[in-house]
Amino acid sequence: MKEAKEKTASVSKNVDGQDVSKIHVMRTLPTSMKVNQCLKYFNRENILMTLIRWMCHLYESENRVLFGVFSGLFILPTITSLIMICIHRSSTHLILSLLHLSTYFLGTLIWFSMRRQRKCLPKLLRSVSKSQSFFFTKFQKVFFYLTCSVPFLCVTQEVLKQTISNKTDFCYVYGFQVTFYVGILVNSLAWILHSFIYPTYPNLVGLLYSSLCLHVCRKLSLITDDIESCSAQEFTISRQRDILGREAEIERLVHFIQKKFSAPSFLIATAQFSACTSIFGAFIVD
């Protein structure tokens, strides 16, 4: 009987003598709970964060179906633009067309580069959400909604232009003769996809990048204000330790931002330069 009691006692305790029955086992959180933990401090009305989640930029919200859909949405318009350049190639506008095509190609690379660092973004969002000070200004909200409306504005402009200048009941789409309304429908979908790849999506990524940088600036300003408002008597060791901890948090946040947005920011700048060059060249040629 004593041996049995000793066995049960040894089973219920670990090497350190702690009661195993009272130790809580850490379990892996479900995917939905991980995503909610990343975004729990952000405003529920923040559409940009929702868009980032649906575009598979969070490792916890990985979805193969959405990945395939967005891969097709980014790759197919680029291929169709290349086909159109080959069909309607002109020696005078070939370089300008290739420059314009490079913006879609760079927009696709931006999406893949964001996807490549999808494991880093949840860490970045968790680090930002600790302070609960990440928010959009009124100007950023206006810029966000204007950016999202660009595809629909482009479609409206092109549809009106083609409707006014239409003189026949048919048109050509990728070299095939179709009715005018079918051509308008196909071209509208193509215009929406193209304008989303560039400039809508790169501008949204740039908006997120600039918002995170502004968040870092706010945190630095808060630390500076705390130091300036603190007297020499109040600047104790514990206060200094707190400030050093906040500075270390900012350094970690800057490291995450640099790791996540170093390649996309370079691609965005390159795409903007290509777009400006093609527009400026079109004015000169015409």
Side-chain angles (χ1 to χ4, degrees), residues 130-157:
K130 289 179 181 178
S131 62
Q132 303 186 17
S133 61
F134 181 79
F135 57 90
F136 280 177
T137 61
K138 291 183 179 180
F139 175 77
Q140 289 173 324
K141 290 180 180 179
V142 171
F143 180 77
F144 171 76
Y145 289 114
L146 287 177
T147 302
C148 293
S149 63
V150 166
F152 304 100
L153 293 176
C154 293
V155 168
T156 304
Q157 177 189 357

Side-chain angles (χ1 to χ4, degrees), residues 9-179:
S10 61
V11 170
S12 61
K13 293 184 178 181
N14 60 6
V15 179
D16 298 327
Q18 296 176 337
D19 192 356
V20 179
S21 60
K22 296 181 180 179
I23 297 177
H24 297 283
V25 180
M26 296 296 293
R27 296 181 180 179
T28 305
L29 292 175
T31 301
S32 59
M33 292 183 65
K34 288 182 179 180
V35 176
N36 291 331
Q37 279 192 347
C38 291
L39 305 178
K40 65 180 179 179
Y41 289 120
F42 295 102
N43 191 351
R44 294 292 182 182
E45 298 178 357
N46 197 328
I47 307 176
L48 181 58
M49 294 301 169
T50 306
L51 183 64
I52 288 172
R53 176 180 175 181
W54 281 101
M55 292 190 69
C56 305
H57 289 333
L58 294 177
Y59 179 72
E60 285 85 353
S61 61
E62 186 73 21
N63 191 318
R64 294 184 180 275
V65 177
L66 289 177
F67 171 70
V69 170
F70 278 102
S71 298
L73 291 179
F74 276 90
I75 294 174
L76 288 178
T78 307
I79 296 175
T80 56
S81 298
L82 182 61
I83 293 173
M84 291 298 294
I85 291 175
C86 294
I87 294 174
H88 304 286
R89 61 180 180 273
S90 174
S91 58
T92 57
H93 296 83
L94 181 60
I95 297 177
L96 296 178
S97 300
L98 291 176
L99 281 173
H100 186 67
L101 175 64
S102 66
T103 58
Y104 303 131
F105 179 71
L106 290 170
T108 306
L109 288 181
I110 292 169
W111 184 74
F112 277 106
S113 64
M114 292 288 290
R115 276 273 309 171
R116 185 171 172 269
Q117 295 291 337
R118 63 188 182 277
K119 291 184 179 180
C120 181
L121 187 57
K123 298 178 183 178
L124 177 60
L125 294 180
R126 278 192 290 266
S127 180
V128 170
S129 64
K130 289 179 181 178
S131 62
Q132 303 186 17
S133 61
F134 181 79
F135 57 90
F136 280 177
T137 61
K138 291 183 179 180
F139 175 77
Q140 289 173 324
K141 290 180 180 179
V142 171
F143 180 77
F144 171 76
Y145 289 114
L146 287 177
T147 302
C148 293
S149 63
V150 166
F152 304 100
L153 293 176
C154 293
V155 168
T156 304
Q157 177 189 357
E158 292 295 333
V159 168
L160 290 176
K161 184 172 68 175
Q162 287 202 1
T163 304
I164 294 172
S165 62
N166 179 44
K167 297 180 180 179
T168 59
D169 295 333
F170 61 89
C171 62
Y172 290 93
V173 178
Y174 302 112
F176 297 97
Q177 182 178 341
V178 296
T179 61

